[in-house]
Amino acid sequence: MQPPTSVNSPLLPIPSGDRSVAGPLESGEMPASSLPVGRLLRCLLRFWWMPVLTLLLGLAGGLAWVHWSEPVFVSKASMWETVKMRLPDSALFSEDLQNVIGTQTELLQSRTLREASLAWLRSSTNGVPPIPLGKNALPLPVSIRVSASGKSSVFSIEASSANQLFTQTYLDALMQTYLDYKKNIRKVISGDTLASITEQVQHWERDLKIEQDALMSYERTNNLAILQEEGMVQGGYLARLKTQLSDLELEARLLNAAAQEPHPSAVPLAASASAPAPAAEAAAPGQALSQEVELLRMQRDQLRLLLRPQHPRMLKLEASIQRAEKMREIYTRQTHEQWTAARQANRVKMENLLASIAEWETRVVSSNTRLAEAQRLKLNVQRVQSVYDRLVLMVQNVGISRNIDQESFAILEPASPAKRSYLREQSGFALASAGGVVMGLGLAVLLGFRDDRFTSASEVNSALGDALVGMLPQVRRNGEAALPLLALDDPRHGYAESYRSLRSALLFQGTPGQRPKTLLIASAMPHEGKSTVSLNLARTLALAGSRVLLVDGDLRKGHLHLGLNLKSHPGFAELLLSTTSPAAALQRDILPNLFFIARGACPVHPGDLFLSPALDALLKRWRADYDYVVMDSSPVFAADDVSCLAPKVDGTLFIVRNHQSSSRAVREALDLLARRQARLLGVIYNGADATAHSYHYYKYADYQFTGKTA
């Protein structure tokens, strides 16, 4: 824990007329308090006996529980998945091995097997001891636990109860009952399955007979062999007809092409060769005439180069050409008529052939339809026959499996003699110890949360917003009734230096302004050391040469006069009531510049005196006559005197005491002073633990001046 950084920091200036709370708390808002780790650790160190006590109580409770509880005896056995011959279709009775552990556990712990095992023990005559009874007059309960090792088909079974002999016999009976129960279940399931399959066999047998009758009835009215032969013949003849139709279509395309030629007689030889016979015969003379005409024309063209047109030879050649052309025209007209007749004959043949093809296609479709219906009936018979055969085979397999032992589990090791188990006692002791420690720590932490008293200066700064201006260490009294006041050469080095540090905080301010002269020392609750702080602070200021007036402002229970060995009256009360003079109320201390005014005689309503104009007049006079006026007061929550007095002084120093001042109470008191427009100069942390590692201030006593030189 780090020491506070604001112990020696100067106070903020308090401007005249400013009625707000000065310093870090000037807004009047307190930061939220928390539970630091350091406080929690100190709380655990403080209440270390609580976890120890709860631990002892937990152990005592565990011992009592072990003493009064019944002992536990454990017997172990094992079963394993046997290797047996698997018959065909034996998978009808397979088990899900992935869930076998959970299934066995639930089954072995079931009420059905427990009652069956107890019945088996009652009916056994092999020297089995009687079944012990529990406290409720029922058979003694036995706990069952099933476990399996990794990558193994061996299952361990543990039985535990309060009776040693009964635990072993019950585990043996349970395993045997388990195997018998599975066999009976197999027979029951086989019987139900066999009845269901038999019913299905009868149903499919009826369907098979219906399909067979339909096929036989169809075959009686249709000769399938003749239908197949007719279908083959009709198909072949239809194919030949379609081939002839293809030839006629080719011939029609050739005739159409020849008819479209301008001179049919000039048809190429290849086309004429493939044409029908009449047309080819008619085309041969026409081709010869065309060739003759072409030859004559060629001769005429050659003779024109040698002879005149009127030459007899030329005239004769012209007459021959005309005669040949006329003959070619005659043959051309005859050939065209022959081509037309051939096309008409071809068209008639094609029409007749198409009619025949349509007729034979109808016959072929009819034959194929009857053959397809026969095939459909045969397939129906085969389908129903296949299902019927499988069901019959399944009936046979179920019947065989029902009477053959195919149990996959067997007893590997019978139940061992039951032995006493201390696992429950060990677990109980461990839980009792852990519970006791946790309960003790929880109570200590709960006290730490509920106890919000300050335990370090850092907690004060954290809770009050770095408002700490002084830290006073705790000093032992050494058997004295009251703590001695500070002296000029006080041997308590750290204690004296802490007050000098507080004095420096008042003397040296960080910013220019009017220094507070009238100081009020306040606290939230009684016994927080404000009276001692008032006395020692006034003496410290006086030792520095300041003219100091110490006033006991606690008109109810003020006792500053006891610490100074002076009179209690007349004093402050008489001055406020104007029943005495200031000189009569003023007393002198052994220090030459320290003056004191006691509380005086307590009036009936002392708080009303702080509202009188006499107080304002006194404060004004004291500010003029003294350098500092230090006033003690009553606690904030003891009376309303402080809330009336604090707004009229220059500043208030608030005292919090280590391990005594509550954070919540201090925050409420400071909030009350803030609402009353009091000026808070800072917080003084009183009674700090000087032996703590976090306390670093004024521990070096060798720096104290003793008047001797080295």
Side-chain angles (χ1 to χ4, degrees):
M1 182 181 299
Q2 296 296 330
T5 58
S6 60
V7 172
N8 293 325
S9 60
L11 299 178
L12 295 179
I14 309 298
S16 178
D18 184 8
R19 294 297 179 182
S20 63
V21 178
L25 302 176
E26 59 184 7
S27 64
E29 297 180 358
M30 305 298 165
S33 61
S34 60
L35 183 64
V37 178
R39 170 181 287 185
L40 180 60
L41 293 177
R42 284 191 294 271
C43 186
L44 293 177
L45 292 176
R46 180 181 178 186
F47 297 102
W48 62 268
W49 51 269
M50 191 170 293
V52 176
L53 178 60
T54 54
L55 173 61
L56 295 177
L57 292 176
L59 292 177
L63 287 174
W65 174 73
V66 170
H67 177 73
W68 293 104
S69 62
E70 296 180 346
V72 176
F73 296 94
V74 177
S75 178
K76 298 182 180 180
S78 59
M79 301 180 69
W80 71 302
E81 185 184 4
T82 58
V83 179
K84 292 190 176 182
M85 181 180 64
R86 297 292 183 180
L87 298 177
D89 291 338
S90 61
L92 294 172
F93 301 98
S94 63
E95 298 183 38
D96 187 2
L97 296 179
Q98 294 181 353
N99 300 324
V100 69
I101 298 178
T103 303
Q104 278 195 331
T105 302
E106 296 296 331
L107 187 58
L108 291 172
Q109 294 176 349
S110 64
R111 181 178 179 182
T112 301
L113 281 188
R114 174 176 173 80
E115 293 179 352
S117 301
L118 295 175
W120 186 86
L121 290 174
R122 293 190 187 97
S123 61
S124 179
T125 58
N126 296 328
V128 177
I131 299 175
L133 301 179
K135 296 180 180 179
N136 52 2
L138 296 177
L140 188 68
V142 181
S143 299
I144 300 297
R145 188 173 69 89
V146 181
S147 61
S149 59
K151 299 181 181 180
S152 173
S153 60
V154 178
F155 302 93
S156 300
I157 306 174
E158 290 186 3
S160 57
S161 72
N163 187 286
Q164 183 176 8
L165 185 58
F166 177 67
T167 304
Q168 180 182 1
T169 56
Y170 178 83
L171 183 55
D172 285 330
L174 181 64
M175 291 189 295
Q176 188 61 43
T177 305
Y178 169 73
L179 297 178
D180 295 341
Y181 180 77
K182 291 190 67 176
K183 291 179 181 179
N184 294 332
I185 289 296
R186 182 185 293 274
K187 290 182 179 180
V188 172
I189 295 176
S190 300
D192 296 341
T193 305
L194 185 61
S196 177
I197 298 176
T198 302
E199 182 180 356
Q200 293 294 322
V201 167
Q202 295 174 357
H203 170 73
W204 285 97
E205 186 177 4
R206 291 192 298 269
D207 291 348
L208 178 61
K209 188 175 184 308
I210 292 173
E211 296 295 336
Q212 289 175 346
D213 292 342
L215 179 61
M216 293 176 61
S217 176
Y218 187 82
E219 289 179 347
R220 281 196 298 269
T221 57
N222 297 274
N223 193 331
L224 299 181
I226 295 177
L227 284 176
Q228 291 178 354
E229 187 66 25
E230 289 179 353
M232 294 176 62
V233 172
Q234 292 171 355
Y237 185 69
L238 181 62
R240 289 196 299 273
L241 290 178
K242 290 185 176 181
T243 301
Q244 294 176 7
L245 179 62
S246 299
D247 295 339
L248 290 176
E249 289 177 349
L250 177 60
E251 182 180 345
R253 286 194 297 271
L254 293 175
L255 290 174
N256 290 334
Q260 293 175 1
E261 289 290 334
H263 298 286
S265 60
V267 175
L269 294 178
S272 300
S274 60
E281 293 174 358
Q287 292 177 357
L289 289 175
S290 297
Q291 293 177 358
E292 183 180 356
V293 170
E294 293 295 329
L295 292 174
L296 291 175
R297 288 178 178 177
M298 292 175 61
Q299 292 177 5
R300 186 188 60 182
D301 293 337
Q302 292 177 356
L303 291 177
R304 280 179 181 177
L305 300 175
L306 300 176
L307 299 177
R308 294 181 179 181
Q310 298 299 325
H311 191 276
R313 191 175 177 179
M314 291 292 293
L315 294 175
K316 183 179 179 179
L317 187 60
E318 288 288 343
S320 298
I321 292 172
Q322 293 177 357
R323 186 174 55 252
E325 289 180 347
K326 188 174 181 180
M327 290 296 294
R328 189 179 62 178
E329 291 178 358
I330 294 172
Y331 278 107
T332 300
R333 188 167 48 252
Q334 293 177 354
T335 303
H336 180 73
E337 293 176 355
Q338 292 176 356
W339 281 104
T340 302
R343 290 171 62 190
Q344 291 178 353
N346 181 269
R347 187 180 302 110
V348 172
K349 291 180 181 179
M350 288 180 62
E351 291 176 354
N352 294 333
L353 193 58
L354 287 173
S356 298
I357 288 174
E359 179 182 357
W360 282 98
E361 282 181 347
T362 303
R363 293 180 182 180
V364 169
V365 168
S366 177
S367 299
N368 291 339
T369 301
R370 287 184 290 176
L371 289 174
E373 179 64 19
Q375 186 66 24
R376 184 185 68 81
L377 294 175
K378 289 181 180 180
L379 291 177
N380 287 341
V381 171
Q382 293 176 0
R383 178 178 60 83
V384 177
Q385 182 71 44
S386 176
V387 175
Y388 175 76
D389 292 341
R390 287 200 302 270
L391 289 174
V392 171
L393 180 61
M394 191 178 296
V395 170
Q396 296 174 356
N397 292 332
V398 171
I400 295 173
S401 301
R402 184 184 182 187
N403 299 319
I404 295 178
D405 183 17
Q406 296 186 29
E407 180 58 48
S408 60
F409 286 95
I411 299 175
L412 179 62
E413 294 181 359
S416 63
K419 297 181 180 180
R420 176 73 182 272
S421 174
Y422 295 95
L423 180 61
R424 188 181 63 172
E425 287 78 0
Q426 295 173 357
S427 301
F429 273 112
L431 290 176
S433 302
V437 172
V438 171
M439 182 180 296
L441 293 176
L443 291 175
V445 172
L446 180 62
L447 290 176
F449 273 101
R450 293 181 60 86
D451 185 7
D452 62 344
R453 293 177 296 179
F454 293 113
T455 59
S456 65
S458 61
E459 291 182 7
V460 176
N461 278 330
S462 176
L464 304 180
D466 292 333
L468 196 64
V469 296
M471 185 165 64
L472 307 177
Q474 178 70 31
V475 179
R476 296 181 181 180
R477 296 186 180 183
N478 296 325
E480 298 176 353
L483 188 65
L485 300 178
L486 286 177
L488 181 60
D489 298 327
D490 200 298
R492 297 168 295 182
H493 171 69
Y495 189 64
E497 289 297 329
S498 62
Y499 275 98
R500 295 188 183 100
S501 175
L502 180 58
R503 178 187 63 191
S504 300
L506 296 173
L507 292 175
F508 305 105
Q509 301 180 9
T511 56
Q514 185 178 358
R515 185 170 57 203
K517 301 184 69 175
T518 56
L519 306 175
L520 180 66
I521 310 300
S523 66
M525 297 293 182
H527 309 297
E528 292 184 332
K530 57 181 178 55
S531 298
T532 303
V533 173
S534 300
L535 287 168
N536 288 327
L537 178 59
R539 293 176 66 84
T540 303
L541 292 170
L543 289 173
S546 300
R547 185 178 174 85
V548 182
L549 174 62
L550 177 61
V551 180
D552 193 348
D554 187 358
L555 302 183
R556 302 172 187 269
K557 292 186 176 182
H559 56 276
L560 293 184
H561 59 281
L562 299 178
L564 298 174
N565 294 323
L566 299 175
K567 298 183 298 182
S568 63
H569 61 279
F572 194 27
E574 286 79 7
L575 290 176
L576 294 174
L577 292 172
S578 301
T579 57
T580 186
S581 63
L586 190 64
Q587 303 183 59
R588 299 291 297 270
D589 185 51
I590 58 175
L591 295 178
N593 52 348
L594 178 59
F595 303 89
F596 174 68
I597 295 179
R599 62 179 174 85
C602 181
V604 179
H605 299 291
D608 298 340
L609 299 179
F610 296 127
L611 300 176
S612 64
L615 177 60
D616 297 332
L618 286 173
L619 292 175
K620 182 178 181 181
R621 181 175 180 178
W622 290 343
R623 289 189 183 97
D625 294 343
Y626 301 97
D627 296 327
Y628 289 100
V629 178
V630 180
M631 300 181 65
D632 191 14
S633 65
S634 59
V636 174
F637 293 122
D640 194 50
D641 300 352
V642 179
S643 59
C644 297
L645 181 59
K648 296 187 177 184
V649 299
D650 295 339
T652 301
L653 291 172
F654 200 87
I655 307 297
V656 296
R657 191 174 186 86
N658 183 30
H659 291 295
Q660 183 167 338
S661 297
S662 169
S663 175
R664 181 171 56 87
V666 170
R667 290 162 58 84
E668 292 178 359
L670 292 175
D671 186 61
L672 176 61
L673 293 177
R675 290 198 301 268
R676 299 297 173 85
Q677 302 300 313
R679 307 183 199 91
L680 181 66
L681 301 180
V683 176
I684 300 174
Y685 184 52
N686 188 23
D689 187 4
T691 62
H693 294 287
S694 60
Y695 188 89
H696 303 288
Y697 296 98
Y698 319 120
K699 288 187 174 182
Y700 306 100
D702 53 343
Y703 276 84
Q704 182 179 6
F705 181 72
T706 58
K708 299 179 181 180
T709 58

